[in-house]
Amino acid sequence: MELAHYSDYAVRLVNTEEPARGKDTLTSVEAVRDLFGPSRQAARRATDADVTRFRSVRARLRSVFEAANDGDETLAVDLLNSLLLEFPVNPQISGHDFRDDDGRPLWHMHLADHPSNATAGYAAIAAMGLAFHLTEYGVDRLGLCEAAPCRNAYLDTSTNRSRRYCSDRCATRANVAAYRARKRLEADRSPNTGRAAENAQRASVSGDR
């Protein structure tokens, strides 16, 4: 498993909140546990205190995406480095669930659960995954959805670095909004254009007289 895969942990956590819409789904221990997925040992250690701690980490991760989205690479890296220092990972070599044709383990790097608490474990995995994604693909691969008011975080994996939206739904909504805006502009211009042509014609007739 590529370690950049763990960057999805950062995206999932950041997108539990939509600030512009006033929405926040990170309101319970169950919501915290859901972020880990079904097979994470650390999820079972989550307590009420982790809700507040997760929100704090979420704000810091969003700041990384905001800096990257604004083109401030140095700030994005500095913010991510501070998370890496505070929440170090526990790397292990693992061979579970992966076998070759002879039944031998396919060894790969794995980030183990953090021994202290659920927040530390999740933050370590999310920060390290995001760090691998950033260094492997570039800071400009971290973005925030341009379909206002969404602003969800996303990881751009397109071949030409062209992604601008977090989902097909947001892309469609933005395209429809842009189309309607163009139509309104054309409708506003048409009467004005017609009146301008009419006035020009009248001026020309008056001049001939």
Side-chain angles (χ1 to χ4, degrees):
M1 181 183 297
E2 297 180 2
L3 292 181
H5 163 80
Y6 289 110
S7 57
D8 288 339
Y9 279 68
V11 173
R12 288 205 299 269
L13 177 54
V14 170
N15 291 346
T16 59
E17 181 185 29
E18 295 182 64
R21 290 179 171 140
K23 293 183 178 180
D24 188 349
T25 61
L26 191 58
T27 58
S28 65
V29 177
E30 288 72 24
V32 168
R33 290 171 179 162
D34 287 343
L35 287 168
F36 285 92
S39 60
R40 301 299 301 178
Q41 180 72 25
R44 292 194 285 270
R45 296 201 300 270
T47 66
D48 289 334
D50 284 300
V51 176
T52 301
R53 290 194 290 251
F54 261 68
R55 287 179 172 178
S56 175
V57 172
R58 178 180 64 188
R60 294 170 67 182
L61 286 170
R62 176 171 282 278
S63 294
V64 175
F65 279 93
E66 289 174 342
N69 190 71
D70 292 341
D72 195 337
E73 296 189 21
T74 300
L75 178 58
V77 170
D78 287 345
L79 292 170
L80 192 50
N81 274 335
S82 69
L83 282 164
L84 292 169
L85 287 172
E86 185 173 346
F87 301 105
V89 298
N90 296 303
Q92 291 181 345
I93 300 173
S94 176
H96 65 81
D97 298 332
F98 296 93
R99 300 280 172 172
D100 62 18
D101 294 338
D102 297 323
R104 299 172 58 190
L106 293 175
W107 301 112
H108 59 278
M109 291 301 298
H110 174 76
L111 300 183
D113 290 326
H114 202 280
S116 57
N117 60 65
T119 302
Y122 195 99
I125 292 172
M128 181 56 72
L130 202 56
F132 271 100
H133 194 96
L134 185 152
T135 54
E136 181 72 17
Y137 303 110
V139 177
D140 57 342
R141 293 289 189 159
L142 279 60
L144 293 173
C145 186
E146 293 185 13
C150 178
R151 305 300 283 172
N152 271 349
Y154 65 82
L155 300 170
D156 186 359
T157 56
S158 64
T159 56
N160 58 355
R161 300 172 183 262
S162 61
R163 185 170 179 179
R164 298 166 55 199
Y165 307 105
C166 69
S167 64
D168 291 339
R169 179 182 179 184
C170 276
T172 300
R173 189 173 74 246
N175 289 334
V176 169
Y179 173 80
R180 289 175 177 171
R182 286 195 302 270
K183 287 300 181 182
R184 285 195 298 269
L185 184 60
E186 290 172 3
D188 291 341
R189 284 176 175 173
S190 295
N192 294 331
T193 302
R195 283 194 295 270
E198 184 178 334
N199 291 337
Q201 184 176 8
R202 287 176 179 173
S204 177
V205 171
S206 299
D208 291 342
R209 289 176 183 172

